[in-house]
Amino acid sequence: MSTDTQAATRFTLRRDAGAVWPAVKRVWSNRWAKVLAVLIGLPIVGIFLVWLIFAQGLPSAESLLTYEPALPTHVRDINGATVQTFARERRVELEYAEYPRQLVQAFLAAEDKTFFQHGGIDYPGIARAIFTNLTSSGRPVGASTITQQVAKNLLLTNELSYTRKIREAFLARRIEDVLTKEQILELYLNQIFLGRNAYGVQSAARAYFDKDVGDLALHEMAYLAILPKAPNNYDPEDDTEAALARRNFVLAEMERNGFIDASQRAAAQAEPLGTVRGSGDSIANVGGYFMEEVRRLLVGKFGEEADDGPHGVYSGGLWVRTSYDPVKQKAAENALRDGLMRYASGRGWRDPELSVDMTQDWRSQLAAARYGVGYDDWRSAVILSKEGGAATIGFTDGSTGTLPASAASMPKRGVGGTAFSFLQPGMIVAVKPEGGSYALRSVPEVSGGMVVEEVATGRILAMQGGWDVRGSSFNRATQAKRQPGSTFKPIVYSAALDNGMTPASIIVDGSFCVSQGAGLGQHCFRNFSGSNAGPQTMRWGLEQSRNLMTVRAANMTGMDKVTRLARTLGVGDYPNYLAISLGAGDTTVLQMTNAFAILANNGKEVKPTMIDYIQDRHGKVIYRTDTRPCEGCDAPDWNGKPMPRPPLRTKQLMDAMTAYQMVHMLEGVVTRGTAQRLRDLGRPLFGKTGTTTGPNDVWFIGGTADIVAGVYVGYDQPRSLGGYAQGGRIAAPIFEQFARAAIKDMPVVEFRAPAGIRMVRIDRRSGRKVFGTWPSNEPKAAVIWEAFKPETEPRRSIRRDQIAAREAAAAPTRRRAAAANDGADSDFLQREGGIY
């Protein structure tokens, strides 16, 4: 073939390929071809543009595979019972299989009849909704499937717009590709809001019927199924007829879909709504200062919401085991409140100075008022009107009552007249039911704090931080810094015992002055009474709370040693001033109570704790107070070997023998000292009263070998309680009332002496060793057992006849003093000088 022929062949091939374009042009020139192309292309372009505009940036549907809804935190007490929940959304998460079949069918009939047939979008329903919205000027209606509602509730916003609906549809399709129908329903039934702060069907079952989902009747299931769209429109009290009509419609839809038969539908429609009033919560929250302190600890550790981490207090679904003892907590609450009432009695009615705007909803204002009435049978109320000899009062539940003038006849504090004459509409007051009406009550202005601690572990069994946490969340047991007064003296004497002194050491109860520096002269300490008793034993000085003996002992020991021991015991970090030995340094009830617990624990360290351990929503322990290993402690059954025990890790903070000597002396404070009123409890007790300058605060700290309790009473803005106020008169009776209720059934346990302690018979007043006679059970017996460290017992002795002669000579003086003072605690303390 020639070259020319080859070129022609190539030219012919190019001409044939180029002929395609003319063919396309011929087709495109046809009018109907253009119309067909546009009809095909526009939807494709439209879908692409819709996807580009609305589907970009949507959350991942795969996140639902690991989705965990916000769950409340549950708190358990020392017995394992659930006593408190911390929740902003009340929710209980269940698995799909735990929901009754009929309940699921009720929600399908009400919300999405074709749920198991469609792929996430109900196209016929959308068409109907579009037509309705185009022909109506009212609120737009939707055709959301359950899958779309899951997308909206979990991943999108509540914005009411077509844009959100389109995004919702895209996401619903993605969800259907990722989750099964059962998984989608489980998310929906656990998440949907149904009113009364109930999120999820189980919480709603409790809120409306006080039942679990498995116990619901058919008509109750149908009622819950009407709530997802608008819970407020079907309120069982305010919109009963609308709720019944909608519920009966759902029952009819269930019959039409074959979920129930006609007889079931008719029987259910004949039932009333049957809802309960109130929250319907199966957990009666105990509240109070203890739980508020637990909440603070949890928030400090984990935060509040999901944004703070996976274990937020209001979202993480934590299970918290605490040391809360309901019996001891109730005893502490009642004892402290009764003690405050005893002090405030006879002082007149105190106006809380709270009011509501009567032109607005007074019930909601009353419910929101920061006013805690304390006692279970007291109620906060609003004065609605006052006419003649009675006032009409209203309560948060909308009920009303009558407050007669005769039941409000006490004078107003600091003013006089009758309290009734000062009552005006809108005022918030405290009242107590009496007969068929109510009596006015007054919340004391004075306050205080109380802590109860387990000696062996440091677990806080009870805590009361004031009158009522609803009125003031300030926890005076942990946050109030107060001077401990004479309750600090055991620390001074413990330091002295550690540095060569003994309980029988003689200390002079006489004038003691120190130089204040150049040109400032001297400062002289004194006992409360101003009198001195001369040389006395350390024991006597502690039992009678003698200031001069305490200061002298601190000076002999060295204040640096006293303050070092105070730091070691966690009481406080103080300068080396002698005034600190009399309790002039600030501390808290919790810190002082823990120091006494260390003494009772033979000097071994205990740290106050309120939380034993914390589990996450899946049951995994994420925090434990006691971190000691214990091999075999979680064994499913006994293996026949000795009980496994965790190793001891406690530090010895102070000499065990010193700690026991101090506890033994503090038993004497109860037996014959400033807390002798507690002697009638009939069990081994130790403790110390305290009264500060003013007196501004009064204290008592003490207890048994098992538990220690501390209490103080004082004004929040410190001022004098009155000259008669003493720790033995005000604080010790609070402990006594607590002890009678809380420890009456506890075993009687003696304080255990550590190895090395020698118990020696001594003369109580002189501290000399005694031969020929034995101690008796008489509280003020001349001969007692005293605890000594090895080789420290007294060398000098005293004969029995010398003791008898001395006691006989002192008897008339003691009888005259007793007759003159009639045994009153305050007189006793003034006589003995027990005050800082």
Side-chain angles (χ1 to χ4, degrees):
M1 181 180 294
S2 67
T3 303
D4 294 340
T5 303
Q6 292 176 357
T9 301
R10 286 195 297 272
F11 179 78
T12 300
L13 288 174
R14 287 173 182 160
R15 187 177 61 184
D16 289 343
V20 174
W21 175 244
V24 172
K25 290 178 65 176
R26 286 195 300 271
V27 172
W28 184 250
S29 64
N30 188 297
R31 176 186 174 188
W32 294 108
K34 293 179 181 179
V35 171
L36 180 63
V38 170
L39 291 176
I40 295 173
L42 280 179
I44 295 174
V45 174
I47 291 173
F48 173 76
L49 290 175
V50 169
W51 177 86
L52 191 65
I53 295 171
F54 297 106
Q56 290 296 300
L58 283 176
S60 169
E62 284 77 6
S63 63
L64 292 176
L65 292 172
T66 58
Y67 173 74
E68 292 183 333
L71 292 178
T73 288
H74 292 81
V75 180
R76 290 181 165 137
D77 66 10
I78 196 170
N79 303 311
T82 304
V83 293
Q84 183 79 27
T85 59
F86 297 124
R88 295 205 171 105
E89 297 179 1
R90 183 169 52 188
R91 180 185 285 106
V92 178
E93 191 175 19
L94 300 180
E95 294 182 358
Y96 175 76
E98 296 179 271
Y99 286 104
R101 180 181 178 83
Q102 275 192 337
L103 185 142
V104 175
Q105 292 169 340
F107 276 87
L108 293 179
E111 293 293 313
D112 192 352
K113 302 177 183 63
T114 61
F115 173 74
F116 282 100
Q117 285 76 49
H118 63 64
I121 303 173
D122 180 9
Y123 294 105
I126 291 175
R128 289 192 298 271
I130 292 174
F131 177 79
T132 301
N133 292 336
L134 291 175
T135 58
S136 172
S137 59
R139 178 185 172 90
V141 300
S144 292
T145 63
I146 284 179
T147 310
Q148 288 175 278
Q149 291 184 55
V150 169
K152 178 187 72 173
N153 292 334
L154 301 182
L155 300 175
L156 298 175
T157 67
N158 288 322
E159 174 194 1
L160 186 63
S161 66
Y162 289 111
T163 299
R164 197 214 73 206
K165 296 294 291 184
I166 295 173
R167 289 167 59 83
E168 187 180 285
F170 272 105
L171 191 54
R173 291 290 301 171
R174 293 184 185 180
I175 291 173
E176 290 277 349
D177 291 337
V178 173
L179 303 180
T180 66
K181 290 288 187 179
E182 289 77 11
Q183 288 175 317
I184 295 171
L185 271 176
E186 180 181 309
L187 285 170
Y188 175 77
L189 295 173
N190 282 334
Q191 180 72 18
I192 193 71
F193 175 65
L194 299 173
R196 292 192 177 181
N197 198 34
Y199 290 78
V201 179
Q202 167 62 23
S203 291
R206 276 290 173 189
Y208 289 97
F209 300 106
D210 200 17
K211 295 180 179 180
D212 293 323
V213 290
D215 300 325
L216 293 173
L218 175 59
H219 69 281
E220 295 167 337
M221 297 177 183
Y223 174 76
L224 295 181
I226 74 175
L227 297 174
K229 285 289 192 292
N232 293 335
N233 293 345
Y234 304 112
D235 183 88
E237 279 86 33
D238 298 335
D239 302 289
T240 306
E241 294 302 320
L244 278 170
R246 181 66 180 171
R247 184 204 67 178
N248 292 342
F249 168 77
V250 171
L251 289 168
E253 287 295 298
M254 291 182 72
E255 180 189 4
R256 193 165 71 85
N257 285 275
F259 297 147
I260 58 175
D261 57 35
S263 62
Q264 289 176 300
R265 187 262 309 155
Q269 287 182 341
E271 293 284 345
L273 289 178
T275 57
V276 298
R277 296 181 67 90
S279 67
D281 199 330
S282 59
I283 300 172
N285 289 338
V286 297
Y289 285 97
F290 192 107
M291 289 302 156
E292 174 60 17
E293 191 67 19
V294 168
R295 189 194 69 84
R296 285 174 180 160
L297 293 173
L298 292 173
V299 169
K301 190 171 187 62
F302 299 115
E304 295 189 22
E305 304 296 347
D307 293 342
D308 299 320
H311 306 307
V313 174
Y314 296 101
S315 60
L318 302 176
W319 287 87
V320 183
R321 184 66 173 261
T322 70
S323 52
Y324 178 91
D325 187 317
V327 174
K328 293 178 176 59
Q329 178 64 35
K330 194 64 179 177
E333 290 178 13
N334 290 337
L336 183 59
R337 286 186 185 131
D338 288 352
L340 299 179
M341 283 297 296
R342 283 193 297 270
Y343 172 80
S345 62
R347 295 173 179 265
W349 173 68
R350 174 174 169 259
D351 183 0
E353 300 181 351
L354 296 171
S355 61
V356 302
D357 183 355
M358 294 300 292
T359 64
Q360 305 294 327
D361 179 12
W362 58 264
R363 288 185 298 177
S364 61
Q365 295 178 72
L366 176 60
R370 295 285 295 172
Y371 190 49
V373 295
Y375 290 115
D376 294 338
D377 58 349
W378 288 20
R379 301 180 69 180
S380 60
V382 168
I383 305 296
L384 300 179
S385 63
K386 189 175 74 167
E387 294 181 5
T392 300
I393 56 178
F395 304 101
T396 54
D397 59 3
S399 62
T400 60
T402 301
L403 174 62
S406 59
S409 59
M410 73 281 281
K412 183 177 180 181
R413 183 175 306 172
V415 178
T418 64
F420 186 80
S421 64
F422 290 93
L423 300 181
Q424 298 294 330
M427 291 178 63
I428 296 177
V429 296
V431 297
K432 178 182 178 180
E434 277 192 4
S437 59
Y438 290 85
L440 187 66
R441 290 292 181 264
S442 180
V443 174
E445 182 182 5
V446 71
S447 195
M450 187 171 186
V451 171
V452 182
E453 181 174 348
E454 190 174 56
V455 169
T457 63
R459 300 163 82 201
I460 303 301
L461 306 178
M463 176 181 288
Q464 186 66 11
W467 176 264
D468 192 322
V469 72
R470 293 170 295 182
S472 169
S473 61
F474 180 70
N475 192 333
R476 295 154 189 85
T478 60
Q479 295 175 300
K481 291 283 191 176
R482 316 294 287 212
Q483 292 183 353
S486 294
T487 60
F488 189 83
K489 290 177 180 177
I491 297 176
V492 176
Y493 289 120
S494 293
L497 292 172
D498 269 338
N499 288 273
M501 300 182 76
T502 76
S505 293
I506 299 299
I507 305 173
V508 176
D509 184 34
S511 60
F512 187 84
C513 301
V514 293
S515 173
Q516 299 183 88
L520 297 178
Q522 289 189 323
H523 172 72
C524 294
F525 295 89
R526 61 184 294 274
N527 290 320
F528 179 83
S529 63
S531 63
N532 305 329
Q536 302 289 340
T537 64
M538 178 192 289
R539 168 180 284 278
W540 186 88
L542 179 62
E543 290 177 353
Q544 311 308 327
S545 200
R546 304 293 285 189
N547 291 345
L548 291 173
M549 294 180 67
T550 306
V551 174
R552 196 178 297 273
N555 187 62
M556 295 167 61
T557 303
M559 276 305 299
D560 60 324
K561 298 181 177 66
V562 174
T563 56
R564 186 186 307 127
L565 182 58
R567 283 193 298 274
T568 300
L569 297 181
V571 174
D573 191 358
Y574 305 121
N576 298 327
Y577 300 146
L578 277 175
I580 296 296
S581 67
L582 299 179
D586 290 343
T587 187
T588 67
V589 178
L590 180 62
Q591 290 170 307
M592 284 302 302
T593 303
N594 189 67
F596 274 63
I598 293 171
L599 291 175
N601 200 36
N602 281 343
K604 290 191 289 291
E605 180 184 36
V606 289
K607 294 180 179 180
T609 63
M610 303 179 73
I611 296 173
D612 293 343
Y613 60 86
I614 303 171
Q615 296 168 281
D616 65 13
R617 66 173 69 213
H618 305 296
K620 179 183 177 182
V621 176
I622 58 175
Y623 171 82
R624 187 186 296 276
T625 299
D626 188 349
T627 58
R628 295 175 297 167
C630 185
E631 185 177 352
C633 282
D634 58 351
D637 198 3
W638 184 45
N639 58 9
K641 296 181 179 180
M643 182 71 69
R645 296 184 183 279
L648 291 177
R649 284 184 176 172
T650 54
K651 293 189 293 186
Q652 195 71 40
L653 296 184
M654 60 185 296
D655 184 83
M657 289 187 284
T658 296
Y660 177 77
Q661 285 179 302
M662 183 49 54
V663 169
H664 191 56
M665 286 194 288
L666 289 171
E667 285 186 86
V669 175
V670 174
T671 302
R672 55 191 158 264
T674 57
Q676 59 184 283
R677 66 175 297 133
L678 306 178
R679 199 167 59 211
D680 293 339
L681 292 173
R683 63 172 62 232
L685 293 169
F686 81 118
K688 185 71 187 74
T689 58
T691 310
T692 67
T693 297
N696 290 348
D697 300 302
V698 291
W699 291 69
F700 177 81
I701 303 175
T704 70
D706 295 321
I707 66 169
V708 173
V711 59
Y712 96 89
V713 173
Y715 290 103
D716 286 343
Q717 296 298 323
R719 68 174 190 265
S720 176
L721 294 168
Y724 76 97
Q726 307 289 343
R729 186 185 183 96
I730 297 176
I734 294 175
F735 173 84
E736 180 183 15
Q737 180 179 337
F738 161 79
R740 291 191 184 280
I743 68 175
K744 60 181 179 180
D745 297 325
M746 294 178 64
V748 176
V749 179
E750 298 282 348
F751 294 97
R752 181 174 297 179
I757 281 290
R758 292 176 53 83
M759 302 304 296
V760 178
R761 290 171 288 165
I762 68 166
D763 172 39
R764 181 170 59 87
R765 295 304 299 269
S766 69
R768 296 181 185 180
K769 186 183 295 186
V770 174
F771 295 99
T773 188
W774 295 88
S776 68
N777 293 326
E778 176 66 27
K780 295 188 178 181
V783 178
I784 63 170
W785 289 108
E786 190 58 274
F788 291 93
K789 297 175 183 176
E791 299 184 3
T792 64
E793 62 265 29
R795 301 302 182 192
R796 300 177 61 188
S797 62
I798 187 171
R799 299 195 308 271
R800 178 170 52 183
D801 57 340
Q802 292 176 305
I803 296 175
R806 186 195 64 202
E807 293 297 307
T813 303
R814 286 200 299 270
R815 284 196 296 269
R816 286 194 299 271
N821 292 285
D822 197 27
D825 285 340
S826 61
D827 295 332
F828 170 81
L829 284 165
Q830 291 182 31
R831 185 173 68 253
E832 299 296 343
I835 186 171
Y836 158 63

